[in-house]
């Protein structure tokens, strides 16, 4: 049975925990708003790039397609880029990514394929290090501070491109938490290399006709499709990785906000129940003392 | 003056510029390209150089871009670039010293890859200096 003093101490400590978690919740909420805005600001560029790519890819002959688009022709070595957060206290945010990645590694290796890893974010490095350290070719910690910037994505992509040019992998996939709402995130794999056109798969089957799908305009190309595609594709990689980083960052803030909200609520409940116990004990003690005094007086 | 064309410069991080202009001249890979309203749809590579925004027959503003992509549809002209610096904001002496540093990097480069990267940066810095010192389309 804890003494009154112990209880007082516990109530105090839970109260200060609650103060911290509620402050963290506020901070996460503010950051979330900023992260959402950043994600929105990045949209016009990504949209236009997508439109250009799809009209370019529609007009290109498969034999001339660069390896970034067509792939290396084999699927032996997979590179997984894992985007996580640098800091914890955000619920299942990092755990769910790590779980998905581990499952993917296992299924790929069961099929006899090789896996390499690039981890972005300290938590991802920590979570994957124990089982998969030998697969990790590169890790970026504290890269996304204070917020993801395009140059960070570029840095990562340059590393990926170097590996690709050296033939170190065939397929590259990014794993990140997609921002669904402030309350929900979704672990999403996004294949980078070979590049996959988002939705409208019938467009590629349109055998080079470029039949005015997507935007409706029929473009002229200068100098020609192949040259533009060759410079557009690497840039598009950076854009995709950047987008994954932004989504992940927004998700992280959302996850932290939810986690801290729960923690604050739990702390409140705990304080309530501790206070009840404390008051009861105090009352019992007072009653006890009264009984002692009264029975002492009666004995006289 | 005839119709205006919407001119946007977008970076991966945000929309840098968006205005209605009479004409823009964009440094495409195979030569400068003047774009006015009603231009045929084009997709092109952009080389490092100066974007000149025309109002009537005279240049109103100039921006330096370090390369990117150009998309023209009937009523919009969009440049995808990572940066667009107004010419008057370029620091000439800083660029000159940057050129000097980069030329040293090129000669001291340890391997092909490093050399190539330094050379690309050097070409970029030279283009920037040229854009700042001798603006096109007076």
């Amino acid at each position: 049975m804890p003494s009154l003093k112990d209880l007082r101490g516990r109530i105090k400590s839970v109260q200060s925990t609650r103060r911290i978690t509620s402050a963290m919740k506020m901070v996460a909420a503010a950051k979330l708003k900023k992260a959402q805005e950043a994600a929105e600001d990045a949209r016009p560029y990504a949209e236009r790039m997508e439109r250009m790519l799809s009209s370019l890819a529609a007009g290109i002959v498969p034999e001339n397609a660069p390896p970034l688009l067509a792939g290396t022709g084999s699927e032996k070595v997979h590179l997984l880029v894992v985007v996580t957060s640098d800091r914890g206290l955000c619920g299942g945010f990092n755990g769910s990514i790590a779980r998905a990645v581990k499952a993917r590694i296992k299924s790929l290796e069961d099929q006899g394929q090789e896996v390499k890893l690039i981890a972005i974010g300290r938590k991802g490095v920590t979570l994957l290090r124990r089982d998969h350290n030998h697969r990790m070719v590169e890790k970026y910690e504290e890269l996304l501070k204070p917020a993801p910037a395009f140059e960070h994505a570029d840095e990562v992509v340059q590393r990926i491109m170097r590996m690709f040019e050296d033939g170190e992998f065939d397929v590259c996939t990014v794993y990140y938490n997609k921002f669904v709402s402030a309350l929900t995130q979704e672990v999403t794999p996004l294949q980078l290399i070979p590049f996959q056109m988002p939705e409208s798969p019938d467009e590629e089957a349109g055998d080079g006709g470029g039949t005015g799908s997507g935007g409706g305009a029929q473009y002229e190309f200068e100098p020609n499709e192949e040259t533009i595609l060759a410079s557009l594709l690497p840039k598009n990689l950076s854009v995709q990785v950047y987008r994954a980083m932004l989504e992940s960052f927004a998700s992280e803030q959302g996850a932290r906000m939810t986690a801290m909200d729960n923690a604050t609520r739990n702390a409140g409940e705990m304080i309530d129940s501790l206070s009840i116990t404390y008051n009861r004990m105090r009352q019992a003690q007072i009653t006890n003392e009264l009984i002692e005094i009264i029975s002492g007086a009666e004995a006289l | 003056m005839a119709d205006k064309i919407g001119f946007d410069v977008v970076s991966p991080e945000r929309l840098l510029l968006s205005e209605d202009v009479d004409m823009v001249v964009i440094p495409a890979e195979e030569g400068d390209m003047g774009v006015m309203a009603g231009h045929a749809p084009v997709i092109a590579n952009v080389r490092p150089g100066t974007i000149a925004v025309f109002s009537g027959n005279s240049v109103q503003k100039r921006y330096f871009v370090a390369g990117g992509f150009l998309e023209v549809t009937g009523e919009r002209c969009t440049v995808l670039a990572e940066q667009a610096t107004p010419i008057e904001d370029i620091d000439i002496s800083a660029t000159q010293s940057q050129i000097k540093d980069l030329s040293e990097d090129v000669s001291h480069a340890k391997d092909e890859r490093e050399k190539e990267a330094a050379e690309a940066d050097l070409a970029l810095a030279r283009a920037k200096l040229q854009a700042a010192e001798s603006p096109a389309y007076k």
Side-chain angles (χ1 to χ4, degrees):
Chain A
M1 195 69 183
S3 72
L4 275 179
K5 190 161 173 275
D6 290 343
L7 272 176
R8 244 191 333 258
R10 279 193 68 189
I11 291 174
K12 253 213 176 102
S13 93
V14 177
Q15 266 169 347
S16 62
T17 306
R18 182 172 67 171
R19 258 199 294 280
I20 293 169
T21 56
S22 91
M24 281 183 78
K25 181 187 138 196
M26 303 291 192
V27 172
K31 280 195 181 165
L32 172 66
K33 193 155 170 284
K34 252 194 226 151
Q36 267 178 308
E37 277 167 12
E40 237 150 69
D41 287 344
R43 207 162 287 154
Y45 191 94
E47 268 170 13
R48 282 174 173 112
M49 184 150 270
E50 218 160 74
R51 201 164 65 209
M52 282 162 80
L53 265 178
S54 56
S55 49
L56 275 165
I60 206 154
V61 199
E63 293 87 68
N64 293 342
L68 275 180
L69 185 64
T72 52
S74 78
E75 284 191 359
K76 279 227 66 72
V77 187
H78 285 253
L79 176 70
L80 305 183
V81 181
V82 188
V83 187
T84 53
S85 71
D86 281 324
R87 315 188 56 199
L89 289 178
C90 43
F93 178 80
N94 293 311
S96 53
I97 282 258
R99 209 173 320 117
V101 169
K102 280 178 184 162
R104 178 81 178 138
I105 293 175
K106 191 165 183 313
S107 85
L108 282 173
E109 294 201 330
D110 285 350
Q111 293 165 33
Q113 282 159 339
E114 203 185 317
V115 179
K116 290 176 178 175
L117 282 173
I118 289 183
I120 302 173
R122 189 146 44 109
K123 286 288 155 189
V125 175
T126 322
L127 284 168
L128 295 169
R129 191 166 47 199
R130 208 187 54 200
D131 298 339
H132 304 289
N133 203 12
H134 56 289
R135 298 186 182 87
M136 202 153 341
V137 287
E138 189 74 73
K139 45 195 168 203
Y140 297 92
E141 298 185 16
E142 312 265 310
L143 180 71
L144 308 180
K145 247 181 161 180
F150 188 67
E151 56 203 77
H152 300 145
D154 227 21
E155 189 184 324
V156 177
V157 166
Q158 264 162 25
R159 175 82 174 102
I160 298 176
M161 282 298 292
R162 271 208 304 280
M163 286 180 69
F164 188 67
E165 280 159 12
D166 296 345
E168 287 181 38
F169 66 91
D170 303 304
V171 182
C172 174
T173 316
V174 177
Y175 273 80
Y176 68 101
N177 270 307
K178 188 177 177 156
F179 185 82
V180 183
S181 74
L183 296 175
T184 27
Q185 303 86 36
E186 206 177 85
V187 176
T188 312
L190 172 75
Q191 187 173 322
L192 287 183
I193 304 174
F195 178 66
Q196 282 182 330
M197 284 295 160
E199 65 239 22
S200 58
D202 50 337
E203 207 168 56
E204 271 186 311
D207 55 88
T211 30
S213 45
Q218 182 109 49
Y219 291 100
E220 284 172 32
F221 299 102
E222 186 197 301
N224 54 45
E225 281 102 319
E226 284 83 7
T227 321
I228 301 178
L229 209 53
S231 49
L232 200 57
L233 280 169
K235 191 56 66 172
N236 182 60
L237 280 189
S238 310
V239 172
Q240 300 290 347
V241 172
Y242 180 54
R243 192 148 73 167
M245 284 177 177
L246 283 176
E247 292 261 354
S248 164
F249 192 67
S251 305
E252 179 195 337
Q253 304 310 334
R256 179 164 300 126
M257 201 176 86
T258 323
M260 288 302 113
D261 188 44
N262 281 336
T264 310
R265 197 161 341 115
N266 288 343
E269 275 166 23
M270 196 153 176
I271 290 170
D272 286 349
S273 82
L274 280 175
S275 309
I276 288 174
T277 327
Y278 174 78
N279 289 341
R280 261 201 208 124
M281 260 180 80
R282 196 174 56 104
Q283 192 59 55
Q285 213 168 24
I286 292 168
T287 318
N288 253 341
E289 275 169 22
L290 277 178
I291 290 172
E292 271 166 28
I293 292 168
I294 292 165
S295 49
E298 268 176 0
L300 283 173
Chain B
M1 200 60 202
D3 291 347
K4 292 192 169 228
I5 184 165
F7 171 61
D8 295 341
V9 179
V10 223
S11 82
E13 280 161 3
R14 63 202 167 91
L15 192 67
L16 291 174
L17 287 176
S18 179
E19 48 195 311
D20 287 335
V21 298
D22 290 329
M23 178 169 91
V24 277
V25 176
I26 287 152
E29 194 167 289
E30 299 193 328
D32 289 3
M33 208 180 209
V35 181
M36 299 175 83
H39 195 285
V42 165
I43 290 177
N45 279 350
V46 175
R47 64 182 156 82
T50 315
I51 293 180
V53 177
F54 280 71
S55 157
N57 284 325
S58 56
V59 180
Q60 199 189 7
K61 273 184 218 145
R62 292 192 184 80
Y63 299 96
F64 175 76
V65 282
F69 307 96
L70 165 73
E71 183 202 28
V72 182
T73 61
E75 63 284 352
R76 291 220 80 74
C77 168
T78 311
V79 175
L80 303 186
E82 264 152 64
Q83 278 178 340
T85 327
I87 291 284
E88 54 272 19
D89 288 358
I90 295 179
D91 186 340
I92 292 187
S93 59
T95 315
Q96 273 164 342
S97 64
Q98 197 189 354
I99 290 181
K100 220 168 86 198
D101 292 349
L102 285 168
S103 341
E104 276 167 23
D105 285 357
V106 171
S107 47
H108 292 156
K110 284 185 211 75
D111 54 40
E112 261 328 281
R113 205 168 251 158
E114 221 168 89
K115 197 173 167 193
E116 265 173 40
E119 271 170 355
D121 285 346
L122 182 62
L124 201 63
R126 288 211 170 112
K128 195 168 173 179
L129 186 66
Q130 202 200 349
E133 281 181 338
S134 51
Y137 311 106
K138 288 233 170 73

